[in-house]
Amino acid sequence: MKKRLILFDIDGILIKGGGVGMTTKNLKKYFNLDIGDLGGKYDAEGKTYRRILAEILEALGIKEPEGDSRFLDALHDAGPLREAIRDGKTFEKINGAEDLVKKLLSFGHVVGLLTGNTFEMARLKLEAVGLWKYFNVGAFGGETKIRGELVDIGMKDAEDKTSIKFDKKDVFIIG
């Protein structure tokens, strides 16, 4: 059987739960800004965390946020998520998700992640539910603002880590 690269999104696909206020806390910590000043008008659905953070900062008046020295610190600070998990804010595995991942691996496929979460956010969430151990390949939302670029990033990461060059027709996204 030909090997395939199967890339999973995380939230709503592998796990459920969330809402720990990470963006709100990091905006306050690094920029002293309040996300409430947007009036609840921001839609983060389907966006990478890099894009979410940049767009919110722009909407709150920070010009060219990625050029701001605080941007990368705020982007990669998963402290609020770590604290929420430690304080009992839980995530749950989606029923059947682990079985599917195990089955795909048993067929010899390469499984990985394609997510809007940063690497650290992904690791923390999946470790909390015992799924991180299955994923050593991936593309993460801290790497680009453009979600469509994550496929190529994931394919390159898979090639670098497995020495398999996947054709796009052999890449499947579960999300």
Side-chain angles (χ1 to χ4, degrees), residues 2-6 108-111 166 169-172:
K2 187 172 187 176
K3 287 190 181 216
R4 307 277 197 258
L5 174 60
I6 317 295
H109 299 306
V110 176
V111 298
F166 291 96
K169 65 180 176 56
D170 295 321
V171 178
F172 297 85

Side-chain angles (χ1 to χ4, degrees), residues 7-56:
L7 298 171
F8 285 84
D9 197 356
I10 294 175
D11 298 299
I13 303 301
L14 294 171
I15 66 168
K16 57 185 169 183
V20 300
M22 193 165 115
T23 304
T24 301
K25 291 174 183 171
N26 283 346
L27 284 172
K28 191 66 159 167
K29 177 179 178 180
Y30 291 97
F31 295 92
N32 199 30
L33 294 172
D34 188 343
I35 198 168
D37 292 342
L38 291 178
K41 297 178 184 175
Y42 185 76
D43 180 16
E45 187 69 30
K47 297 177 183 177
T48 68
Y49 192 62
R50 184 179 208 106
R51 180 175 173 189
I52 292 166
L53 188 59
E55 287 180 353
I56 290 172

